[in-house]
């Protein structure tokens, strides 16, 4: 891949992360806003992000989101646009999505896969007027750019009409929770009642033009993500917080426990280059049309697993006592290792000392209701495999 071409395509906010002498995390356009509002800043995926805010613990923030709504900064995510008449073929050559089948202004959660069938990243692809709008993970920014650029150069050599624009001038915020519509609707003429889950609209929000409002999120609650011109992101955040519905700021701590209760994967913890969509119970991201045609990296391995099954499976656990964390060993009742935890935390929503976690176990012990042990600080903690999500999801279906 051309270094010159790669350098041209890297967004400003990601340049520091491409260097070998990175010393300080990059900052999103809302960094000062977080500091001004008492955000406790930590290094996450190469960015300085708020883990929580003063006066509101992570558990309290979590429950506030479930009862009202919360505002999250997700401006560190990589936003990009794919142009050209071959944009659908381009995206289908590197993901498992049926991109051609997406209706206008609708999107899908999909996966970048590799030749071994592993997951390189999870992302959202939306079919919009004249281009595809893509949002992928900040922690995978460098390798996602490289993956797309390598494929772009290959297709261009073959005469394809496709181009990539990496967006470096827009912020991204997520407003999540049951009162989201109450907070957002007074600020926009977009009819939110007609905006269903995984669809988007473009319009004015809080007096800011050209906002992209997508009905999605990673908390299990009804919510939106709003892509906004970078220099207006703080204006939007302040307008949302001053609106109805009792919105509040929330950080990475609540975001993590919310997504875990919703049974959603965190890349690098619950899915990575060594886990396949079938093992990760993400086979639902592979629609019937792609199962029939293949054509994505690792298709032979993944499609074979769809037919014959995988030897391990991502499952959820309920337990009490010390909470299980990543890399904790899972044993059967005879003391044999049968798996490993990838994420876990106390559940604010379930309460009563209930912990939730997820991880991978051998297929023969993956049935819901199976009782196993999780080794936490050299002590065996009884755990039961449970259905995910652990709490009901509240995604919005337009009428």
């Amino acid at each position: 891949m051309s270094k010159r071409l790669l350098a041209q395509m890297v967004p400003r906010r990601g340049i520091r992360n491409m260097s070998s002498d990175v010393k300080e995390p990059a900052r999103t356009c809302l960094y000062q806003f977080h500091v001004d509002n008492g955000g406790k800043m930590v290094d996450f995926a190469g960015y300085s992000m708020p883990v929580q805010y003063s006066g509101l613990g992570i558990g309290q923030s979590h429950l506030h989101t479930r009862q009202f709504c919360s505002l999250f900064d997700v401006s560190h995510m990589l936003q990009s646009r794919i142009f050209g008449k071959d944009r659908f073929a381009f995206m289908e050559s590197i993901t498992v999505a049926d991109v051609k089948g997406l209706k206008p202004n609708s999107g899908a959660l999909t996966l970048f896969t590799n030749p071994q069938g592993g997951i390189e990243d999870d992302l959202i692809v939306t079919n919009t007027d004249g281009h595809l709008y893509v949002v992928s993970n900040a922690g995978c920014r460098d390798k996602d750019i490289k993956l797309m650029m390598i494929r772009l150069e290959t297709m261009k050599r073959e005469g394809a009409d496709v181009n990539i624009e990496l967006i470096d001038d827009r912020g991204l915020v997520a407003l999540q929770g049951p009162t989201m519509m109450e907070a957002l609707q007074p600020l926009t003429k977009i009819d939110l009642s007609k905006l269903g889950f995984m669809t988007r609209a473009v319009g004015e929000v809080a007096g800011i033009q050209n906002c992209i409002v997508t009905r999605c999120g990673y908390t299990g609650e009804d919510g939106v993500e709003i892509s906004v011109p970078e220099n207006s992101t703080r204006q939007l955040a302040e307008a949302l917080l001053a609106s109805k519905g009792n919105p509040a700021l929330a950080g990475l701590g609540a975001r993590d426990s919310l997504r875990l209760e919703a049974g959603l994967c965190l890349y690098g913890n619950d899915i990575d280059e060594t886990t396949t969509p079938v093992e990760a119970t993400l086979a639902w991201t592979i629609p019937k049309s792609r199962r029939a045609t293949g054509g994505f990296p690792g298709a032979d391995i993944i499609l074979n697993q769809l037919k014959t099954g995988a030897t391990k499976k991502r499952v959820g656990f309920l337990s009490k006592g010390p909470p299980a964390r990543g890399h904790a060993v899972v044993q059967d009742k005879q003391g044999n290792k049968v798996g490993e935890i990838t994420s876990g935390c106390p559940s604010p929503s379930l309460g009563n000392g209930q912990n939730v976690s997820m991880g991978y176990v051998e297929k023969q012990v993956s049935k819901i209701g199976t009782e196993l042990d999780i080794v936490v600080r050299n002590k065996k903690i009884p755990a039961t495999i449970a259905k995910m999500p652990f709490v009901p999801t509240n995604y919005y279906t337009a009428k």
Side-chain angles (χ1 to χ4, degrees):
M1 179 176 54
S2 162
K3 291 183 179 179
R4 179 184 60 80
L5 185 55
L6 177 59
Q8 289 175 347
M9 300 303 292
V10 177
R12 282 198 309 270
R13 292 194 299 264
I15 288 176
R16 266 185 283 181
N17 295 330
M18 300 293 289
S19 172
S20 61
D21 59 350
V22 174
K23 295 181 180 179
E24 300 217 354
R27 297 177 177 182
T28 75
C29 51
L30 284 178
Y31 173 82
Q32 191 58 49
F33 173 77
H34 299 312
V35 173
D36 293 344
N37 282 276
K40 180 181 179 182
M41 309 304 287
V42 299
D43 187 348
F44 177 78
Y47 282 81
S48 184
M49 300 292 289
V51 67
Q52 66 183 94
Y53 293 86
S54 59
L56 196 63
I58 291 173
Q60 292 172 300
S61 185
H62 176 116
L63 293 174
H64 185 95
T65 309
R66 292 272 187 247
Q67 185 177 0
F68 301 105
C69 66
S70 295
L71 184 67
F72 301 83
D73 179 13
V74 287
S75 300
H76 60 313
M77 304 286 274
L78 175 62
Q79 300 178 70
S80 55
R81 300 184 184 101
I82 316 297
F83 295 93
K85 65 180 180 63
D86 294 314
R87 62 189 182 278
F88 300 106
F90 170 80
M91 190 53 65
E92 289 190 358
S93 72
I94 52 178
T95 73
V96 301
D98 177 9
V99 186
K100 294 188 192 76
L102 290 174
K103 295 179 180 178
N105 291 313
S106 67
L109 176 70
T110 188
L111 309 167
F112 286 133
T113 52
N114 60 36
Q116 294 72 45
I119 301 169
E120 291 291 324
D121 198 7
D122 58 304
L123 60 148
I124 291 178
V125 179
T126 303
N127 183 18
T128 72
D129 296 333
H131 68 275
L132 302 174
Y133 172 60
V134 180
V135 179
S136 54
N137 285 307
C140 297
R141 172 184 291 268
D142 296 351
K143 72 172 183 176
D144 287 355
I145 292 171
K146 183 177 179 180
L147 181 156
M148 290 190 290
M149 292 301 301
I150 289 174
R151 184 57 184 155
L152 177 72
E153 288 193 337
T154 299
M155 289 187 66
K156 277 185 168 294
R157 283 197 301 268
E158 296 169 351
D161 175 22
V162 61
N163 286 288
I164 301 173
E165 177 192 358
L166 301 182
I167 302 170
D168 68 349
D169 59 354
R170 296 184 73 86
L172 190 66
V173 297
L175 186 64
Q176 301 283 298
T179 63
M180 179 279 294
M181 285 183 66
E182 187 179 345
L184 181 57
Q185 191 62 85
L187 302 178
T188 182
K189 293 181 179 178
I190 296 170
D191 187 349
L192 299 176
S193 68
K194 295 180 180 178
L195 194 68
F197 185 61
M198 296 305 290
T199 66
R200 76 157 211 169
V202 180
E204 181 181 315
V205 180
I208 304 165
Q209 300 292 329
N210 194 26
C211 290
I212 304 168
V213 181
T214 305
R215 199 71 169 254
C216 67
Y218 224 60
T219 62
E221 295 294 334
D222 182 24
V224 295
E225 290 185 358
I226 307 174
S227 177
V228 56
E230 187 175 58
N231 58 7
S232 297
T233 310
R234 179 165 186 153
Q235 176 186 334
L236 174 63
E238 290 175 341
L240 289 169
L241 291 174
S243 191
K244 301 177 181 179
N246 196 18
L249 285 170
L252 295 171
R255 185 173 169 83
D256 189 53
S257 56
L258 287 160
R259 68 92 193 164
L260 186 48
E261 285 187 348
L264 300 171
C265 297
L266 176 64
Y267 192 86
N269 287 45
D270 311 302
I271 50 176
D272 60 27
E273 297 96 334
T274 68
T275 53
T276 71
V278 180
E279 293 167 344
T281 62
L282 294 173
W284 58 268
T285 63
I286 311 172
K288 187 180 295 185
S289 61
R290 299 309 305 275
R291 298 185 186 201
T293 62
F296 49 86
D300 290 347
I301 295 170
I302 295 168
L303 296 178
N304 183 61
Q305 284 188 348
L306 284 171
K307 293 177 182 177
T308 63
T311 58
K312 65 178 182 179
K313 181 180 179 181
R314 181 175 64 95
V315 298
F317 295 93
L318 291 173
S319 65
K320 290 194 172 183
R325 304 294 186 183
H327 303 298
V329 170
V330 180
Q331 297 179 342
D332 62 19
K333 291 301 181 179
Q334 288 71 50
N336 302 305
K337 180 179 178 179
V338 293
E340 186 175 290
I341 297 298
T342 54
S343 290
C345 70
S347 171
S349 299
L350 297 178
N352 242 0
Q354 191 75 73
N355 302 313
V356 294
S357 56
M358 66 173 74
Y360 288 82
V361 298
E362 296 173 5
K363 184 178 179 181
Q364 64 268 24
V365 296
S366 63
K367 186 178 179 181
I368 291 174
T370 301
E371 295 184 355
L372 300 169
D373 291 321
I374 303 174
V375 182
V376 181
R377 295 196 290 272
N378 297 318
K379 181 180 179 181
K380 292 185 178 182
I381 304 298
T384 303
I385 293 180
K387 185 178 179 180
M388 294 187 288
F390 299 104
V391 299
T393 54
N394 295 300
Y395 305 127
Y396 179 78
T397 303
K399 299 173 182 177

